[in-house]
Amino acid sequence: MSKLFINDKKFYFKVAGIAIPIALQGLITSGVNMMDTIMIGAVGETQLSAVSLANQFITIFHIFCMGIGMGASVLVARYYGMQEKQSLKNTVTIMLRLTLALSVLFCVATILLPRQIMQIYTVEEDIIAHGISYLNYSVVTYFLLGLSLTCTIVLRNVGMTMIPLFTSIGAFFINVGANYIFIFGKFGAPRMEAAGAAVGTLIARIFEFAIICGYLFFVDKRIYFRIKDFFAPVGNLWREYIRISIPVLISDGILALGNNSVAMVIGRLGKNFVASNSITAVTQQLSSVMIQGFSQAGAIVTGHTLGEGDRDKAHRQGYAFLGLGIFFGLVAAGIVMVISEPMIRAYNLSPETQTIARQLMLSISIIIVFQATNSIMTKGVLRGGGDTKILMVADNLFLWVASIPLGVLVGLVLHLPAFWIYFFLKIDQVLKAFWCVIRLQSGKWIKKIKSAEEL
C-alpha cells in the first residue's frame, strides 16, 4: 500500500495542474449533455430515446477521434519532454490528416444512410424518425468536433489546459441557449424538438472550433504549428506514428464498435431502458470528471518523465496514479449514490422508467470504482509509457469476450433485472482493473520511442 503514495509534492501539484482544468472541462461537457437530456426529455421519452441513440453513432466518431488524438498525444508528450520540436509538429500534421479523412467518411455515411444508422439501434419507427431528423443537422459537426477535439488534446499535452477550459465554458452557455430556442421554438424560432438539440450542438461546435483551432494555427508559440505545416512532408515519422499511435486508434475504434454493440442490446430492451440508460450515462459523467482529468494527466506526466529519460521515476509515479484511481473511484461511487435520486426526479419519466433508472444507478456505483482504477492506468500511465499494442488487445478482449456476450445472455435471453443486465454489460471494467495492476508491476509497459532524427 505504501507504493500507492509518493512523498513528492511537486508531482501532485503538477498532476493537479493538468488534471483539474481537464476535469472542469469534462464537468462542463457533462453539464451540456445533462441539459440536452433534460430539455429534450421535457418534450417526451420518444424524443429523448431518439437523440440518445442517434448520438451513439456520433459517439463512434468521437471515440475514433479520441483514438487519433490520444494516440498522437503519446508522441506529443514524449517529444515535448525531449524538446524535439520538428517531430512534434510532424505528429500534429499526421493527426490532422487522419482526422479530416475520418470526418469525410462519417459525413458521407450520415448523408446517405441516416435510416440505416438508426435501424442499427432500434426497430421502433417513431424513434427512428426523430433520430433521422437529429442526424440530418449533425453532418457538419463531424469536421468541427474532430478538429477541435484532437487539437485540444495536443494543447493539453504541452501544458495549455486553460484555453480549452474557457472555450468549453463559452460553448456551454451557447449550447444551452441555442437548445432552449430551437427545441422549444422560442423568440420566433420554429419548434424543432429533437432536431433543435442538433442545431444547438452545431452552433456550440462552431464556437469551439473557431477558438481552439484558431489559437493552435495562428497564436500558439509552444508548438508553433501553422496551416502551411499541414502540407509539409513528415518523412519517416509515419513509421513511428503507426507503431505507437495506430494501435490506440484501432483499440478505441474497435472499442467504439463494441460499445455500440452494447447500445444495440440496450436499444432492444425497450424505450424505458434506453431512457434510463441515457440518464445513468449523464450521472456517471458528472461523477467521474476527475477520473477523466487524472487519466489524461497520467498519460501526459508519464510521457514527460520518460521523455526526460527517468524510467524509475515513471514507474514510481505509476503506482501513485494507481492510488489516485482507487481514491477517485470511491469518491465517484459516493457521488452517484448521493445524486442519483435528484437526477432521476429531474426528468419527466414514467414510474417504470424511474424504477429501471434506480437499478442502473446502483449498478454503476459499483462498476465505477473499478472503471476509475483501470481508466487512470490504461488510458493514462500505461498508454503514456507507449504500451499501446498490448492495451489494444486487452481493451477489446475483455469487451468482446466478456461484456457483450454476457450482456446479451442476461438481457435478451435470461431477462434478468436491470441491475444485472447493466453490471454484466460493464463487466470488462472490473476485469481490466485487475489486469492493469499486474501489467504495472511487470514494468514491461515502458517502451522506447524514436524521434524523427533517429528514424
Side-chain angles (χ1 to χ4, degrees):
M1 290 295 292
S2 61
K3 286 185 176 182
L4 302 181
F5 177 82
I6 57 177
N7 188 22
D8 185 354
K9 291 183 179 180
K10 289 184 179 179
F11 165 74
Y12 287 106
F13 277 117
K14 180 178 181 179
V15 171
I18 297 170
I20 291 175
I22 295 175
L24 289 174
Q25 187 178 357
L27 180 62
I28 294 164
T29 301
S30 298
V32 170
N33 294 337
M34 182 182 71
M35 293 304 297
D36 279 353
T37 53
I38 289 176
M39 288 181 177
I40 200 66
V43 177
E45 288 187 8
T46 299
Q47 289 86 345
L48 175 60
S49 297
V51 171
S52 174
L53 292 177
N55 268 315
Q56 289 296 328
F57 183 72
I58 297 174
T59 298
I60 297 178
F61 174 77
H62 187 280
I63 294 175
F64 269 112
C65 287
M66 284 294 292
I68 293 173
M70 294 305 293
S73 76
V74 177
L75 296 176
V76 169
R78 193 74 69 90
Y79 291 145
Y80 188 68
M82 296 164 64
Q83 291 299 298
E84 284 279 352
K85 293 298 179 68
Q86 190 57 51
S87 298
L88 200 160
K89 290 172 70 172
N90 289 349
T91 300
V92 175
T93 297
I94 297 171
M95 178 195 75
L96 293 176
R97 290 174 183 175
L98 289 174
T99 302
L100 283 175
L102 184 68
S103 300
V104 170
L105 179 63
F106 273 79
C107 177
V108 171
T110 302
I111 292 172
L112 299 179
L113 304 169
R115 172 169 289 276
Q116 289 82 349
I117 289 170
M118 288 304 301
Q119 286 175 336
I120 294 173
Y121 305 110
T122 183
V123 295
E124 299 188 38
E125 190 59 38
D126 52 348
I127 295 179
I128 291 174
H130 286 294
I132 290 173
S133 177
Y134 186 91
L135 287 172
N136 286 339
Y137 284 93
S138 301
V139 171
V140 181
T141 302
Y142 294 117
F143 295 96
L144 304 171
L145 171 62
L147 291 173
S148 61
L149 176 62
T150 51
C151 289
T152 291
I153 292 172
V154 168
L155 289 174
R156 287 173 178 169
N157 275 269
V158 296
M160 301 298 295
T161 57
M162 300 308 293
I163 290 173
L165 172 60
F166 291 134
T167 302
S168 290
I169 293 172
F172 171 81
F173 290 106
I174 291 171
N175 198 3
V176 170
N179 276 355
Y180 178 73
I181 292 170
F182 292 105
I183 290 175
F184 302 110
K186 302 297 183 179
F187 305 108
R191 180 183 173 92
M192 300 175 69
E193 298 186 351
V199 172
T201 300
L202 174 60
I203 294 171
R205 295 299 185 200
I206 292 172
F207 172 80
E208 287 179 331
F209 169 79
I211 301 299
I212 295 295
C213 295
Y215 181 85
L216 179 62
F217 298 158
F218 301 106
V219 180
D220 171 65
K221 298 292 174 57
R222 299 195 180 190
I223 303 173
Y224 218 95
F225 186 91
R226 297 296 180 259
I227 292 177
K228 63 181 177 62
D229 294 315
F230 178 83
F231 303 98
V234 295
N236 292 327
L237 193 66
W238 269 107
R239 287 186 295 176
E240 195 69 356
Y241 189 98
I242 290 171
R243 185 178 74 87
I244 297 296
S245 301
I246 293 302
V248 179
L249 173 59
I250 295 172
S251 176
D252 286 3
I254 298 175
L255 202 60
L257 297 176
N259 288 335
N260 265 257
S261 299
V262 171
M264 290 165 61
V265 175
I266 290 173
R268 283 157 175 77
L269 293 171
K271 63 176 67 175
N272 291 334
F273 203 108
V274 173
S276 299
N277 181 64
S278 65
I279 297 165
T280 303
V282 172
T283 306
Q284 179 184 354
Q285 290 172 2
L286 286 171
S287 65
S288 60
V289 290
M290 291 303 293
I291 297 168
Q292 298 168 26
F294 278 89
S295 293
Q296 294 192 40
I300 293 168
V301 171
T302 301
H304 289 175
T305 302
L306 290 174
E308 294 165 0
D310 199 333
R311 180 188 177 101
D312 291 337
K313 182 179 179 181
H315 206 161
R316 293 194 303 273
Q317 290 175 344
Y319 280 102
F321 275 111
L322 176 61
L324 290 171
I326 296 170
F327 172 76
F328 284 111
L330 293 171
V331 170
I335 292 173
V336 171
M337 297 303 294
V338 170
I339 70 173
S340 59
E341 193 61 30
M343 286 290 294
I344 293 170
R345 294 188 181 277
Y347 295 86
N348 181 26
L349 303 176
S350 65
E352 181 181 354
T353 303
Q354 288 186 22
T355 299
I356 294 173
R358 290 188 182 97
Q359 291 188 48
L360 298 189
M361 293 289 190
L362 178 60
S363 185
I364 197 60
S365 68
I366 298 171
I367 291 291
I368 203 168
V369 178
F370 298 95
Q371 182 177 339
T373 303
N374 82 65
S375 179
I376 289 179
M377 297 309 301
T378 59
K379 307 302 181 188
V381 174
L382 303 184
R383 180 173 285 180
D387 198 26
T388 54
K389 290 182 181 179
I390 192 67
L391 288 173
M392 175 181 68
V393 175
D395 274 345
N396 292 289
L397 181 66
F398 292 125
L399 177 66
W400 290 95
V401 173
S403 286
I404 292 175
L406 288 174
V408 170
L409 176 65
V410 300
L412 301 180
V413 179
L414 300 179
H415 304 290
L416 294 184
F419 173 90
W420 291 110
I421 295 173
Y422 198 85
F423 182 84
F424 281 105
L425 282 171
K426 302 292 184 178
I427 194 68
D428 61 317
Q429 302 295 335
V430 178
L431 299 175
K432 280 195 295 184
F434 289 102
W435 172 83
C436 69
V437 174
I438 297 172
R439 189 65 179 174
L440 174 67
Q441 291 175 329
S442 73
K444 296 178 181 178
W445 53 277
I446 299 177
K447 308 294 184 182
K448 177 178 173 56
I449 292 178
K450 297 179 181 179
S451 67
E453 295 178 357
E454 295 176 296
L455 293 169

